[in-house]
């Protein structure tokens, strides 16, 4: 039956993990790796599988009495194979189970005396499930790579009690590749081995490549001082992020012969190509001061100064201040002495601004599109261009004011 031909009575999954840890007084490390292999219940050779390899490392170095460095890195490699899939609605390969259910029960998958020929199933459905799952004819292979790195420096100078300095840098890179081959395949009569028609949509090969790169840096200083009933905490920080992204898709049809899985092997007369490339950049400065007296009176002052690439120079930065006040009234004698059943009661109020980006990137630039053509001399037509978008040169951050009042009561 079709169920016996297309499905196995079991599938397998493998997962292996290995880790090592150790170190000395000056350095400690933890390294781990894993391997995962998932197989499908569909009875096919090279389709329906997924593999993943991972490697992680955490290292801590004591560079000096007051200075340490932490380094974390990870690598992940994934690969998979499935029947050809364009990730569109009503994709045929997403309904393999349905195709098995609706295949002709009286007609096996291959010709009676020629197992290399797939059988014709009629018009509903025309496809042959075993051909759809044959990796030599139709596949979507995916490859993924992810590489992350983060390094942190922590400095606690003993000369200034309560001061902590931190410097962080990160670099991440992600790659995803999708490679799809589609083939129209002949279908034959089960008894006579006569050609009856074709299954599949087209003879084509397509590649899609997506890359993402992130660079990040942050400096932060924390300070804390306690004297008597006073508790002061302060923090300043600066950070910047740069993102680079690329997306490219290319496709060609090919004739009756498929030579190798490269787009250039297809027909030049039937080719498609598209792609995008973009970069983004943001930066910001942050400062915050917290003051507390006798665990009763609380004050917080904070300000952010953020910048983004999407606006014109002179409008890329915005300042967003805020403050909050708190009164832990349960610590007052008139509450403690008269209402001892009130455990922790605090009144609070906050007011401030937060920034939201608005509009699209580079809206401060004018856009043009080709319009009518004009003849200036000798009957030669010169194409004209017209403005299709008005530049918005004053667009900047949106200021959102947020106020909040509340009562916190813990019984």
């Amino acid at each position: 039956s079709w169920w016996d031909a297309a499905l196995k009575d079991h599938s397998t999954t493998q997962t292996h993990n290995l880790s090592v840890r150790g170190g000395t007084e000056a350095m400690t490390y933890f390294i781990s790796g894993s391997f995962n292999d998932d197989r499908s219940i569909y009875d096919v050779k090279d389709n329906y599988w997924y593999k993943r390899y991972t490697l992680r490392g955490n290292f801590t170095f004591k560079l000096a009495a007051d200075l340490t460095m932490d380094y974390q890195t990870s690598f992940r490699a994934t690969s998979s194979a499935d029947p050809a899939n364009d990730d569109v609605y009503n994709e045929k390969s997403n309904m393999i189970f349905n195709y098995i259910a609706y295949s002709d029960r009286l007609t096996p998958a291959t010709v009676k005396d020629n197992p290399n020929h797939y059988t014709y199933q009629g018009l509903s459905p025309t496809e042959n499930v075993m051909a759809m799952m044959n990796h030599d004819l139709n596949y979507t292979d995916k490859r993924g790579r992810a590489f992350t790195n983060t390094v942190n420096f922590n400095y606690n100078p003993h000369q200034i009690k309560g001061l902590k300095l931190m410097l962080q840098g990160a670099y991440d890179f992600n790659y995803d590749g999708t490679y799809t081959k589609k083939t129209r395949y002949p279908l034959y009569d089960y008894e006579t081995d006569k050609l009856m028609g074709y299954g599949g949509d087209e003879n084509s090969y397509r590649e899609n490549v997506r890359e993402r790169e992130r660079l990040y840096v942050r400096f932060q200083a924390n300070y804390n001082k306690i004297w008597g009933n006073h508790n002061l905490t302060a923090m300043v920080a600066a950070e910047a992020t740069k993102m680079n992204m690329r997306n490219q898709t290319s496709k060609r049809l090919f004739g009756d012969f498929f030579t190798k899985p490269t787009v250039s092997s297809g027909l030049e007369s039937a080719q498609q190509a598209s792609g995008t490339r973009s970069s983004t950049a943001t930066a910001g400065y942050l400062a915050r001061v917290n003051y507390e007296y006798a665990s009763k009176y609380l004050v917080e002052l904070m300000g952010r100064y953020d910048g983004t690439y999407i606006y014109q120079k002179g409008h890329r930065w915005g300042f967003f201040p805020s403050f909050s006040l708190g009164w832990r009234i349960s610590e007052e004698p008139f509450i403690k002495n008269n209402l001892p059943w009130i455990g922790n009661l605090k009144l609070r109020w906050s007011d401030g601004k937060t920034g939201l980006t608005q509009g699209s990137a580079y809206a401060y630039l004018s856009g043009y599109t080709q319009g009518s053509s004009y003849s200036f001399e000798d009957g030669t037509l010169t194409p004209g261009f017209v403005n299709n978008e008005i530049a918005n040169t004053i667009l900047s951050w949106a200021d959102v004011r947020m106020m909040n009042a509340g009562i916190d009561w813990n019984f």
Side-chain angles (χ1 to χ4, degrees), residues 39 122-123 135 293 319 332 336:
R39 298 292 169 166
L123 297 178
H135 190 271
Y293 177 75
F319 178 62
E332 298 291 351
K336 277 189 172 184

Side-chain angles (χ1 to χ4, degrees), residues 314-352:
H315 298 276
R316 292 177 177 173
W317 291 87
F319 178 62
F320 311 103
S322 64
F323 74 92
S324 65
L325 303 174
W327 180 20
R328 192 171 286 114
I329 193 173
S330 57
E331 296 298 313
E332 298 291 351
F334 61 84
I335 295 291
K336 277 189 172 184
N337 298 334
N338 299 297
L339 301 172
W341 48 272
I342 296 180
N344 187 0
L345 178 63
K346 182 174 70 173
L347 309 180
R348 55 180 172 81
W349 165 262
S350 64
D351 188 359

